[in-house]
Amino acid sequence: MADNTFCRKLVERIKASDLWVSGKSKEGGRHLSGLKCPECGHAEASAYVEGPFAILCSRKNSCGARVRTLELFPELIEKVERDFKPTPDDPHRPAREYLYSRGLTNKSLEGLRFEYRRDIRKCGSGGVLFYVGVNSAGKEVWNGRIFAPPQGIDKGHNSGATAGVYWRHPGLVYDPNRPTFIKEGVIDALSLIEMGLQAIAVLSSVQDPSKLDLGGLEKNLVIAFDPDHAGCEGLRKWIAVYPSAKSMIHVEGDSNDLLRSRAPGKAREAFDAAIPEMKCRARLALAEKAQDYAEIFYDFYGFPPGLFEFQKSYWFSGVMKDQVYAQRVSNFTCAVDHYALDASNPENPVNKYHLCVKPVDGKPTYCTITGPELTHPWSLRSALLTYARALWEGEAKATMSLASRIIQAKSPVVRQVHVLGHDEASNCVVFRDFLIDPDGKMLEPDAKGFFRASRKEFLGPPKFQTVLPKSGESLSRIYQLINGAWPNNGALAIAFAVASWFVWTVKPTLGFFPFLSLHGDPQTGKSYLVRRLNAMQALDEEGLPMTKLNTGKGEIRQLAQRSGLFKALLEGNKAETLRFDLETILTLYNAGNPLQVRAIRDNGLGTLLTQFQSSLIFVQNKEPFKSKAQMERVVSSAPFKVDDINGSSTDAFRAVQRIPIREMAWCYVETMRHRRDIEAEWYEGYVRARNEILDAVPDNRIAENHGLMLCFHRIAEKIFGAKLDLRPFLTALAERKHRQCNHRQANLADHFFEAVDEIAPKTSKEFVCLDDGKMYVRMALALKSLDGNGYKFYAAQLYQELKEHPAFVTSNVNKRAYWGEEMTDSVQKVWIFDANKLDVEEGPLEGMGA
Ligand SMILES: [Zn+2]
């Protein structure tokens, strides 16, 4: 056991996992104790140090779970070849460590002839092969299994035809007078040998027993095949050839499961204790008639079997007038493929049952039934007739038995995820085509399209189109090109994207999350930058046009349908002024501000808060943020300028365009691979970065927002392998923001001027004219025109603010001018403003050469 390093590795893995509860769990002598039970969650489970293959819950009455440890940590098997590399002295090391992982020790491996083979059938995983013998064609036969076969690849592997040959342990002297157990697989047979029994493996249940030379062992055989259909058929065949053979079928799992679920050296006791029941199971498997089955069962257990499967149908058995009876109740059997859980309304989650219905003859059908359909014989009959063309004839008792069997089946629960990105309940990040688990590992969906989030929970992916990432272009080059095409702004945008991927942890910790604004000249590739950033988060989209946001709740809902990702809001092609309620959107800066409150349908009183767990990038030519409160929630890029575009930025831009979208998406996978570290360390980095900005800009909020960007820039630098000091740039942005915010606040009057600026050209300027540095406005007509174009101002408040505006000269005076297109020269009542004082915005950002 000394060189059984696998067990030690498994112990260390348990200690590093969340099964290990600090202060409660400990390693002492032969046990790990005080472990968190994976089923009930109480720290009352244990495992054996010498064979930690099962986590055993000691709460016998309320839980008593035995959970296979390697099901919790399947990566240990996947990595067995890497963790225990073969060496020249020990070329079969991965195979031996794998056998250790199956609970086998040097006791059963002594004298065993086995080999490690790499990349079996080119499936990417190696395996262990056992020497069987030479077949009738004179060829060596090896049989074994692949360590970690990829999805859809069978785990068994043969080299050489196995017909007519079987495996016996080359290091064991077989005694014909002792019972010899016949198993299908070598590892099963080795498990019995480990328990001190004598066993051979016939490699397949379809092996013809009459063609095998058992060399004297046939005198005392125990046929112990798997309890599945093929195993039962095999059992019949063997009994036909060897009528005096005994037979046994495991009550639960196989002999290797039994070996690994008991204390080292204690499996034999459990095996011996189960012999009578295993014999009964074999008799049940051999029963000719359902009535025989019911009687065998009743004789052994003392009660009738109730609902049971016999020859591909269900039968119901009870006792009437001291007589056991059995009655056929269906022409099918069924299995629960999975449970579908829709928890989008947390107060009333809905369960559905996905069944695989197997008719006596014909192909299986998959269908979904609901709780109400399971409650009555007639509703179940009707549902199965409708969905699966299957006939259920059971009465109330049989129906209840089937229902409870369906409810208690140990099938996976599949929870449908509705939000794209971070799923709070599982702490996984879920896309349609892949998932990132809490450790940062990327998983692809299984054959049914589900993700295995944990041992018991599967996730149904959200229905949004996403991109399946693929490695290719290096992250450092992607970074370099983006920052080459948009100097500093590119790096800022990447920092913001990376921060956005952690909104769910940043926002609750800090209580806020800033917005990003990309603004500046048209034709500088702002929208394209956003498109590439979206590709980096595995989305093939640009963003949501801002002008659409006011059209309905649908767009608002789009913002709620993602978490831990950013969404871009784009200004339309025409310079349309923002019409949605910027003020409402900007309250989403703070944690806990719901996006929308919606009534829960089934419950008249309840409401559901739709939390905003994503981030926003505003993309526009001219920033729409006016008030100090609005401006300070936004990190604004340096203005994008046509003048800054040069040969090298153009080359970088073209190179960025050429990177395939799936390779861009790999940035996300690589970043999330470090999620544990980022989640643990970002806060410290944030505090440091914020203080650095605060030294230059004495404004908490501005320093917080820009500090967060600096912190995530530094994280991105590490992950992308970039070298760029963004501190001077971010400090300059923060200083500029500080100046803007401390400038006079924009108010209703400024909005009025903006609106006039936009609407006047469309309305032939009939309500405004410019003359010698002054702006003359026919106020009543102006308000009417603006109203007609979607700008509603309330005159009283507007007049007040206009009079306080620095540009205000006077009101209600006469002005002779040419008004409108007709150029009618007339005298009108006007308000007069100083045209040079209309704009609240500052001049260009200084000291920020791109
Ligand atoms: Zn438990």
Side-chain angles (χ1 to χ4, degrees):
M1 205 68 181
D3 55 346
N4 184 345
T5 35
F6 190 89
C7 286
R8 197 58 231 169
K9 192 149 205 114
L10 192 47
V11 165
E12 295 310 323
R13 184 67 187 86
I14 292 169
K15 286 178 159 182
S17 75
D18 60 359
L19 298 183
W20 190 261
V21 185
S22 95
K24 288 191 177 165
S25 304
K26 51 180 184 283
E27 179 175 356
R30 299 178 53 224
H31 295 91
L32 297 177
S33 59
L35 300 177
K36 187 172 122 190
C37 169
E39 291 279 341
C40 69
H42 289 262
E44 292 178 39
S46 63
Y48 297 101
V49 173
E50 295 278 295
F53 301 110
I55 308 295
L56 309 164
C57 180
S58 64
R59 302 176 69 235
K60 288 277 182 282
N61 293 328
S62 52
C63 176
R66 284 174 188 273
V67 176
R68 292 186 215 172
T69 315
L70 284 170
E71 270 181 20
L72 304 176
F73 313 115
E75 74 276 6
L76 289 191
I77 296 297
E78 285 157 22
K79 290 195 312 191
V80 75
E81 290 171 274
R82 264 177 289 157
D83 288 344
F84 305 102
K85 287 197 176 70
T87 64
D89 292 342
D90 193 0
H92 304 300
R93 185 166 171 235
R96 193 177 55 253
E97 293 289 346
Y98 174 78
L99 295 175
Y100 290 153
S101 84
R102 303 305 296 255
L104 302 170
T105 69
N106 291 337
K107 183 179 161 195
S108 58
L109 303 188
E110 178 90 51
L112 184 67
R113 193 170 161 198
F114 66 95
E115 284 187 5
Y116 161 63
R117 297 218 187 145
R118 62 181 74 232
D119 199 12
I120 292 179
R121 299 203 301 267
K122 296 204 164 39
C123 75
S125 169
V128 54
L129 289 190
F130 304 98
Y131 177 70
V132 178
V134 175
N135 65 16
S136 55
K139 208 173 171 261
E140 272 193 9
V141 179
W142 293 75
N143 166 280
R145 63 159 294 162
I146 300 173
F147 300 143
Q151 232 171 67
I153 302 288
D154 183 50
K155 62 185 192 288
H157 185 70
N158 284 317
S159 148
T162 56
V165 292
Y166 65 95
W167 173 90
R168 47 194 289 167
H169 196 309
L172 194 70
V173 180
Y174 284 79
D175 177 356
N177 296 314
R178 283 180 66 201
T180 298
F181 286 80
I182 301 194
K183 301 297 295 182
E184 289 160 61
V186 177
I187 289 176
D188 258 351
L190 279 171
S191 304
L192 293 182
I193 292 169
E194 180 74 34
M195 296 179 207
L197 296 157
Q198 181 168 288
I200 62 173
V202 297
L203 311 179
S204 156
S205 61
V206 301
Q207 185 83 260
D208 185 348
S210 62
K211 302 243 166 78
L212 292 185
D213 176 8
L214 298 182
L217 298 179
E218 62 272 14
K219 280 196 286 183
N220 198 349
L221 292 182
V222 183
I223 301 147
F225 289 160
D226 294 345
D228 54 12
H229 181 70
C232 293
E233 290 301 302
L235 176 57
R236 284 172 202 279
K237 263 196 324 200
W238 276 80
I239 294 292
V241 177
Y242 298 106
S244 66
K246 295 188 184 70
S247 51
M248 289 183 199
I249 285 182
H250 278 284
V251 177
E252 211 178 321
D254 56 26
S255 21
N256 191 244
D257 292 327
L258 179 67
L259 177 68
R260 288 196 288 174
S261 66
R262 296 296 189 278
K266 297 288 181 198
R268 176 63 182 274
E269 266 171 43
F271 184 88
D272 287 347
I275 285 175
E277 192 171 4
M278 290 196 289
K279 284 181 171 170
C280 167
R281 293 293 173 114
R283 283 202 303 281
L284 289 171
L286 290 169
E288 295 285 346
K289 294 194 192 112
Q291 182 65 34
D292 299 344
Y293 182 103
E295 285 169 11
I296 294 165
F297 190 100
Y298 186 77
D299 286 346
F300 183 82
Y301 292 100
F303 54 88
L307 190 74
F308 65 98
E309 252 178 77
F310 188 81
Q311 291 179 353
K312 300 182 181 177
S313 317
Y314 285 120
W315 293 67
F316 190 76
S317 166
V319 180
M320 210 190 288
K321 293 179 186 159
D322 291 337
Q323 290 291 310
V324 179
Y325 69 89
Q327 198 173 24
R328 199 172 100 132
V329 291
S330 78
N331 66 350
F332 66 89
T333 57
C334 66
V336 181
D337 185 73
H338 65 270
Y339 301 105
L341 174 64
D342 185 341
S344 53
N345 176 353
E347 291 182 22
N348 277 324
V350 176
N351 281 284
K352 285 182 181 172
Y353 308 88
H354 280 247
L355 301 183
C356 172
V357 179
K358 291 171 254 180
V360 172
D361 40 28
K363 281 186 188 161
T365 308
Y366 289 84
C367 65
T368 307
I369 59 171
T370 61
E373 285 167 338
L374 270 176
T375 47
H376 286 291
W378 57 265
S379 56
L380 184 58
R381 191 173 308 145
S382 144
L384 287 167
L385 280 172
T386 310
Y387 307 139
R389 274 194 287 156
L391 184 61
W392 173 252
E393 295 170 277
E395 294 303 327
K397 260 188 173 175
T399 305
M400 278 303 109
S401 302
L402 183 64
S404 67
R405 186 178 286 215
I406 287 172
I407 292 161
Q408 286 159 23
K410 285 179 177 155
S411 304
V413 175
V414 177
R415 180 165 54 82
Q416 181 59 50
V417 173
H418 297 283
V419 172
L420 186 66
H422 186 250
D423 172 58
E424 204 175 320
S426 64
N427 195 17
C428 293
V429 193
V430 196
F431 287 73
R432 199 195 62 177
D433 306 281
F434 67 100
L435 169 145
I436 306 286
D437 76 4
D439 291 321
K441 207 171 111 186
M442 175 180 163
L443 302 176
E444 288 187 39
D446 65 15
K448 290 174 191 158
F450 302 133
F451 297 108
R452 186 173 193 160
S454 67
R455 202 173 63 85
K456 280 161 81 185
E457 193 182 39
F458 284 67
L459 299 178
K463 305 288 182 232
F464 309 98
Q465 192 79 29
T466 59
V467 175
L468 178 63
K470 179 172 171 278
S471 66
E473 190 58 86
S474 75
L475 264 62
S476 64
R477 182 159 159 82
I478 291 175
Y479 192 97
Q480 205 184 347
L481 290 176
I482 287 185
N483 200 53
W486 300 278
N488 291 334
N489 279 343
L492 169 65
I494 291 175
F496 184 82
V498 173
S500 300
W501 300 341
F502 294 89
V503 170
W504 79 81
T505 164
V506 172
K507 208 169 175 181
T509 309
L510 300 183
F512 67 87
F513 196 92
F515 306 98
L516 178 67
S517 162
L518 303 177
H519 66 103
D521 295 348
Q523 307 300 319
T524 46
K526 299 188 298 291
S527 310
Y528 190 72
L529 170 59
V530 161
R531 187 164 257 288
R532 293 272 82 182
L533 288 175
N534 264 308
M536 287 166 75
Q537 57 176 3
L539 296 174
D540 185 8
E541 65 171 39
E542 194 168 63
L544 208 57
M546 286 188 210
T547 45
K548 262 191 146 189
L549 266 178
N550 64 347
T551 59
K553 291 196 167 157
E555 285 76 24
I556 292 284
R557 211 169 293 134
Q558 281 195 35
L559 300 180
Q561 282 165 342
R562 53 178 63 187
S563 167
L565 296 167
F566 70 81
K567 182 93 189 172
L569 297 177
L570 308 171
E571 184 178 54
N573 288 335
K574 283 178 250 155
E576 290 159 294
T577 307
L578 225 53
R579 294 197 197 163
F580 67 85
D581 188 356
L582 195 61
E583 204 55 52
T584 305
I585 292 283
L586 289 172
T587 58
L588 301 174
Y589 174 89
N590 297 105
N593 275 348
L595 194 53
Q596 123 188 91
V597 180
R598 112 177 116 92
I600 292 173
R601 235 175 302 149
D602 325 31
N603 176 342
L605 301 170
T607 51
L608 199 59
L609 300 182
T610 304
Q611 287 299 333
F612 178 67
Q613 296 289 14
S614 42
S615 70
L616 293 178
I617 301 183
F618 292 92
V619 184
Q620 67 274 296
N621 297 338
K622 205 170 167 196
E623 292 196 304
F625 319 110
K626 293 302 173 201
S627 70
K628 180 171 190 282
Q630 289 182 1
M631 286 191 282
E632 68 182 7
R633 292 172 197 172
V634 182
V635 171
S636 300
S637 68
F640 286 69
K641 288 186 191 152
V642 174
D643 292 348
D644 292 342
I645 298 176
N646 55 35
S648 79
S649 71
T650 306
D651 289 347
F653 178 79
R654 296 215 173 107
V656 170
Q657 282 181 310
R658 283 195 292 269
I659 303 170
I661 187 164
R662 290 183 60 193
E663 295 181 18
M664 292 296 291
W666 193 254
C667 296
Y668 186 79
V669 175
E670 273 297 315
T671 304
M672 296 317 274
R673 215 159 57 78
H674 302 278
R675 65 174 281 193
R676 285 272 194 219
D677 294 340
I678 296 172
E679 285 165 39
E681 291 161 16
W682 73 267
Y683 184 73
E684 207 179 307
Y686 158 74
V687 172
R688 192 160 55 87
R690 182 202 59 192
N691 292 345
E692 288 171 38
I693 303 280
L694 201 54
D695 286 344
V697 182
D699 180 304
N700 272 323
R701 176 156 284 190
I702 291 171
E704 283 166 355
N705 292 339
H706 291 76
L708 187 67
M709 291 303 105
L710 183 54
C711 155
F712 274 90
H713 160 69
R714 286 167 178 164
I715 290 170
E717 233 188 327
K718 271 192 223 158
I719 293 168
F720 285 76
K723 203 86 201 102
L724 178 70
D725 182 8
L726 213 55
R727 182 178 163 180
F729 177 74
L730 279 163
T731 306
L733 289 183
E735 282 167 344
R736 173 177 184 257
K737 181 66 75 175
H738 185 56
R739 286 198 301 275
Q740 279 180 344
C741 288
N742 288 293
H743 200 266
R744 185 187 55 75
Q745 277 191 24
N747 60 19
L748 207 55
D750 298 291
H751 291 304
F752 172 80
F753 294 133
E754 285 254 322
V756 168
D757 197 33
E758 190 207 333
I759 299 304
K762 295 185 193 168
T763 52
S764 320
K765 297 193 174 184
E766 57 194 355
F767 58 81
V768 61
C769 80
L770 284 168
D771 190 12
D772 62 3
K774 302 264 188 327
M775 182 168 84
Y776 302 90
V777 180
R778 292 164 66 186
M779 194 54 72
L781 188 59
L783 289 183
K784 205 174 139 205
S785 296
L786 293 176
D787 197 6
N789 283 281
Y791 292 99
K792 180 93 186 144
F793 289 97
Y794 293 97
Q797 194 194 345
L798 177 66
Y799 291 172
Q800 185 62 38
E801 292 191 12
L802 283 174
K803 283 177 182 165
E804 289 163 8
H805 196 278
F808 177 76
V809 179
T810 183
S811 65
N812 284 324
V813 294
N814 288 330
K815 167 77 180 172
R816 172 174 289 279
Y818 289 96
W819 299 103
E821 248 166 21
E822 295 83 36
M823 302 293 274
T824 328
D825 181 19
S826 63
V827 176
Q828 301 288 349
K829 278 256 186 295
V830 296
W831 287 51
I832 306 175
F833 301 97
D834 183 340
N836 297 316
K837 293 182 182 169
L838 289 176
D839 210 347
V840 281
E841 281 211 22
E842 272 192 303
L845 188 54
E846 289 151 40
M848 295 199 26

